[in-house]
């Protein structure tokens, strides 16, 4: 690599750029390094200080710029996930299909796995190169290497499905780039301590753990490993803000739903700006019954079409909410269903309202109940949560409301700010975190259980009022 000055920089950063590419992409060729340097020169002057005397700070700045470079390529691929999911006749879709037909995967002989892996690697390289252009050759090479090494023998046997649907292949590649971006951010943050770097974690990372026993309770994690699993009361959060990760989530839910020996229940919650038929929906939180300690936070504000994007088999957030065979655990769905129907044309079915279940639990004991409880009060009264869990629930509930409730000095528009504040992300996820637990906690006699289901269906049709009806705290007679 030439060491001559690059575009007027006082000290040529070619060696550093090559080191970064070698570290994250295992590609430090002259062409790849030059492409990365050209990107760096387009950044604002204050982004990278090549006169910086501290090597660790300069390296941190370049690595974060690399994460930004990856993010731009990620968004380019992610836009094609949307295209491939919604239009089979699109030019880009046809281009992908053309390359897909250049490779044939078949046979169960394990001796062919090596040749299949090589063929798959070459296939991915040419697809990405055609979609992103020659300036992204190192990205194409890295994705090809990661994809081929990441796919195990069993997955290679089922590559026919992956290669038959562009949306699945592209979402898979997007997830690989997400992992690369998060790894770069993690390495950069380890190099220096600087106030405000938490915001960079929220920008570049999508997998988090919440440890209720730590002062810095929210931590970025590698998606393949959750620190919270070593904590008796922690949980994890997956922020879904690209169509590729959404497709992966839907595929995961689809695998649970189609498994014959497993039932699927999905706990859901929603956040937005004065959420109703006229108040914008911003976030959807889901907790599936297979891993009740993991909360998926879907960013509808960033992905306005995310509720309708479907897998090749037709599963979407819309079909999940409307499917009468999938139980949706909710806590007071009235404003949520009003927003879902009038903004997205979604009519949820098979809802179990935990707020009504709590009312039924008291009434089944012969108590007179005139008012419903809030979720926070339900959690405080649940003996299946320990004191640290209850204390954290109270803490994050207070933090969230101070940020978005106007009477407490906040603003609902905080749900539209990106990147999300860490307190808002945890607040939103926490509202869904214990819904599966509460569903198991409220063990009702059959008669009362049926009454809750009937009352839940009444609330599920709240959107049918001619005008928006503001929910009250009165306990309904059901």
């Amino acid at each position: 690599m030439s060491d001559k000055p690059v575009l007027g920089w006082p000290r040529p950063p070619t060696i550093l750029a090559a080191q970064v590419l070698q570290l994250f992409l295992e590609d430090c060729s002259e062409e790849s390094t030059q492409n990365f340097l050209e990107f760096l020169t387009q950044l604002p002057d204050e982004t990278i200080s090549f006169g910086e005397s501290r090597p660790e700070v300069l390296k941190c700045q370049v690595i974060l710029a690399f994460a930004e470079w990856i993010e731009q390529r990620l968004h380019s691929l992610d836009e094609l996930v949307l295209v491939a999911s919604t239009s089979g006749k699109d030019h880009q879709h046809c281009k992908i299909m053309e390359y897909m037909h250049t490779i044939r995967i078949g046979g169960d002989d394990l001796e062919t796995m090596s040749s299949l892996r090589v063929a798959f690697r070459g296939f991915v390289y040419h697809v990405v190169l055609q979609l992103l252009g020659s300036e992204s050759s190192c990205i194409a090479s890295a994705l090809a290497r990661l994809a081929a090494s990441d796919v195990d023998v069993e997955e290679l046997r089922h590559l026919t499905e992956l290669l038959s649907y562009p949306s699945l292949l592209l979402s898979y590649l997007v997830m690989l780039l997400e992992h690369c971006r998060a790894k770069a951010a993690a390495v950069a943050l380890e190099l220096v301590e600087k106030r405000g770097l938490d915001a960079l974690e929220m920008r570049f990372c999508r997998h988090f753990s919440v440890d209720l026993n730590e002062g810095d309770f929210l931590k970025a994690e590698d998606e393949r490993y959750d620190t919270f699993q070593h904590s008796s009361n922690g949980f994890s959060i997956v922020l879904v803000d690209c169509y590729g990760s959404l497709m992966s989530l839907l595929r995961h839910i689809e695998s649970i739903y189609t498994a014959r020996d497993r039932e699927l229940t999905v706990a859901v919650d929603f956040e937005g700006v004065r959420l109703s038929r006229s108040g914008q929906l911003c976030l959807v939180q889901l907790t599936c019954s297979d891993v009740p300690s993991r909360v998926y936070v879907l960013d509808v504000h960033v992905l306005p079409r995310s509720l309708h994007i479907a897998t090749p088999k037709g599963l979407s957030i819309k079909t999940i909410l409307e499917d009468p065979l999938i139980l949706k655990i909710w806590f007071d769905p009235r404003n949520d269903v009003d927003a879902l129907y009038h903004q997205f044309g979604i009519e949820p079915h098979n809802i179990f309202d935990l707020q009504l279940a709590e009312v039924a639990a008291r009434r089944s004991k012969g108590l007179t109940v005139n008012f419903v409880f809030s979720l926070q009060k339900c959690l405080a009264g649940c003996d299946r949560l320990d004191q640290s869990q209850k204390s954290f629930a109270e803490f994050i509930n207070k933090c969230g409301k101070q940020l978005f409730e106007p009477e407490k000095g906040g603003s609902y528009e905080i749900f539209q700010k990106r990147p999300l504040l860490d307190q808002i992300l945890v607040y939103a996820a926490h509202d869904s975190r214990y819904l599966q637990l509460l569903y198991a906690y409220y063990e009702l006699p059959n008669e009362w259980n049926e009454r809750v289901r009937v009352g839940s269906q009444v609330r599920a049709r709240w959107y049918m009022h001619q005008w928006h009806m503001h929910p009250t705290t009165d306990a309904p007679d059901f």
Side-chain angles (χ1 to χ4, degrees):
M1 173 63 64
S2 171
D3 200 40
K4 63 182 180 180
V6 178
L7 299 180
W9 279 337
R11 182 178 178 83
T14 53
I15 296 178
L16 179 56
Q19 289 175 339
V20 170
L21 292 180
Q22 177 63 34
L23 176 63
F24 296 106
L25 300 182
E26 296 185 13
D27 180 357
C28 58
S29 66
E30 183 171 359
E31 178 186 13
S32 298
T33 305
Q34 188 61 39
N35 288 337
F36 182 37
L37 290 175
E38 289 177 1
F39 170 79
L40 294 180
T41 62
Q42 299 170 11
L43 296 173
D45 293 339
E46 64 273 12
T47 303
I48 301 178
S49 303
F50 285 103
E52 174 64 55
S53 59
R54 294 168 295 175
E56 69 277 6
V57 174
L58 176 58
K59 185 176 291 186
C60 173
Q61 292 173 341
V62 174
I63 292 175
L64 289 175
F66 169 79
E68 174 71 29
W69 193 48
I70 291 293
E71 184 168 16
Q72 290 190 10
R73 273 75 185 161
L74 187 155
H75 285 310
S76 296
L77 281 181
D78 196 55
E79 290 175 359
L80 295 177
V81 176
L82 176 62
V83 169
S85 302
T86 56
S87 174
K89 297 181 180 180
D90 184 89
H91 174 68
Q92 292 285 12
H93 176 102
C94 295
K95 182 186 296 186
I96 299 169
M97 289 301 297
E98 177 183 343
Y99 276 90
M100 285 183 172
H101 288 306
T102 66
I103 185 171
R104 294 292 182 269
I105 304 294
D108 295 326
D109 186 355
L110 294 182
E111 293 182 358
T112 66
M113 288 301 112
S114 177
S115 59
L116 288 175
R117 202 179 296 277
V118 171
F120 185 54
R121 179 171 180 167
F123 168 72
V124 171
Y125 175 80
H126 288 294
V127 167
V128 177
L129 196 65
Q130 286 296 316
L131 294 177
L132 297 184
S134 59
E135 67 275 9
S136 297
S137 59
C138 62
I139 302 293
S141 178
L143 281 176
R145 175 180 50 79
L146 289 171
S149 60
D150 191 57
V151 176
D152 59 26
V153 168
E154 191 63 28
E155 289 175 309
L156 276 171
R157 288 174 171 172
H158 296 88
L159 276 179
T160 302
E161 181 182 17
L162 185 66
L163 300 179
S164 298
Y165 300 100
S167 60
L168 299 186
L169 175 63
L170 289 169
S171 64
Y172 177 62
L173 299 178
V174 165
M175 293 298 288
L176 291 179
L177 280 179
E178 277 201 326
H179 172 65
C180 186
R181 177 185 62 184
K183 179 183 176 182
V187 171
L189 295 173
E190 289 177 356
L191 289 172
V192 294
E193 295 181 3
K194 181 179 178 181
R195 183 176 300 177
L197 284 181
D198 286 346
L200 291 172
E201 283 189 304
M202 295 299 296
R203 178 179 177 185
F204 291 121
C205 301
R206 296 299 179 267
H207 293 251
F208 304 90
S209 65
V210 178
D211 191 333
L212 313 190
N213 299 320
E214 295 289 338
D216 297 327
F217 53 85
L218 184 67
K219 298 180 180 179
E221 299 289 348
D222 188 315
E223 66 267 27
R224 297 170 297 182
Y225 182 79
D226 290 317
T227 299
F228 85 96
Q229 292 176 348
H230 295 285
S231 173
S232 61
N233 54 11
F235 63 99
S236 65
I237 303 174
V238 180
L239 177 59
V240 179
D241 64 350
C242 70
Y243 290 107
S245 56
L246 170 61
M247 186 65 67
S248 297
L249 168 59
L250 293 174
R251 291 267 290 167
H252 172 70
I253 296 176
E254 193 172 64
S255 69
I256 304 170
Y257 185 47
T258 55
R260 296 181 179 179
D261 60 338
R262 305 178 74 175
E263 295 183 357
L264 172 64
T265 61
V266 180
V268 296
D269 188 57
F270 302 80
E271 303 295 345
V273 181
R274 298 179 181 84
L275 193 58
S276 64
R277 66 185 63 189
S278 58
Q280 183 183 359
L281 173 63
C282 296
L283 301 174
V284 177
Q285 303 90 259
L286 304 97
T287 304
C288 300
S289 51
D290 66 321
V291 187
S293 57
R294 177 174 297 128
V295 182
Y296 297 92
V297 179
L298 173 58
D299 195 336
V300 180
H301 181 66
V302 171
L303 307 175
R305 301 178 66 178
S306 58
L307 301 186
H308 295 86
I309 294 299
T311 67
K313 294 182 180 179
L315 188 76
S316 65
I317 300 298
K318 172 181 168 66
T319 60
I320 291 171
L321 294 175
E322 293 186 337
D323 193 326
L325 299 180
I326 300 178
L327 178 65
K328 273 73 65 177
I329 303 171
W330 226 297
F331 194 93
D332 188 4
R334 290 173 289 181
N335 277 334
D336 302 336
V337 297
D338 199 58
L340 286 169
Y341 177 77
H342 291 281
Q343 294 182 38
F344 301 95
I346 297 175
E347 302 179 68
H349 294 284
N350 196 9
I351 289 176
F352 188 88
D353 187 348
L354 291 176
Q355 190 176 63
L356 296 185
E358 190 284 325
V359 171
R362 284 186 284 160
R363 285 181 178 170
S364 67
K365 299 175 183 178
L367 300 176
T368 299
V369 180
N370 296 320
F371 300 99
V372 297
F373 281 174
S374 66
L375 176 58
Q376 176 58 32
K377 192 167 185 178
C378 290
L379 294 177
C382 178
D383 59 17
R384 297 192 184 182
L385 273 69
D386 61 32
Q387 189 54 50
S388 64
Q389 291 172 316
K390 293 179 180 180
S391 297
F392 185 83
E394 182 178 0
F395 163 74
I396 200 62
N397 183 64
K398 181 178 179 181
C399 285
K401 290 187 174 181
Q402 287 178 338
L403 288 170
F404 69 79
E405 287 191 350
E407 56 269 26
K408 297 183 183 298
S411 169
Y412 284 107
E413 281 68 27
I414 198 73
F415 288 113
Q416 298 173 316
K417 181 176 180 176
R418 297 297 179 275
L420 283 168
L421 296 180
D422 54 355
Q423 301 98 319
I424 289 296
L425 177 64
V426 177
Y427 171 85
H430 192 273
D431 272 3
S432 175
R433 162 67 177 100
Y434 294 113
L435 296 187
Q436 296 276 1
L437 182 148
L438 287 178
Y439 176 67
Y441 175 69
Y442 293 127
E443 297 180 359
L444 301 170
N446 288 337
E447 177 187 356
W448 282 101
N449 190 68
E450 184 59 29
R451 290 184 184 184
V452 171
R453 289 184 177 275
V454 172
S456 298
Q457 302 319 305
V458 172
R459 284 186 161 191
R461 296 190 291 270
W462 195 257
Y463 64 84
M464 297 180 68
H465 293 294
Q466 182 178 3
W467 311 105
H468 171 58
M469 300 289 291
H470 185 74
T472 70
T473 57
D474 296 333
D477 183 16
F478 60 92

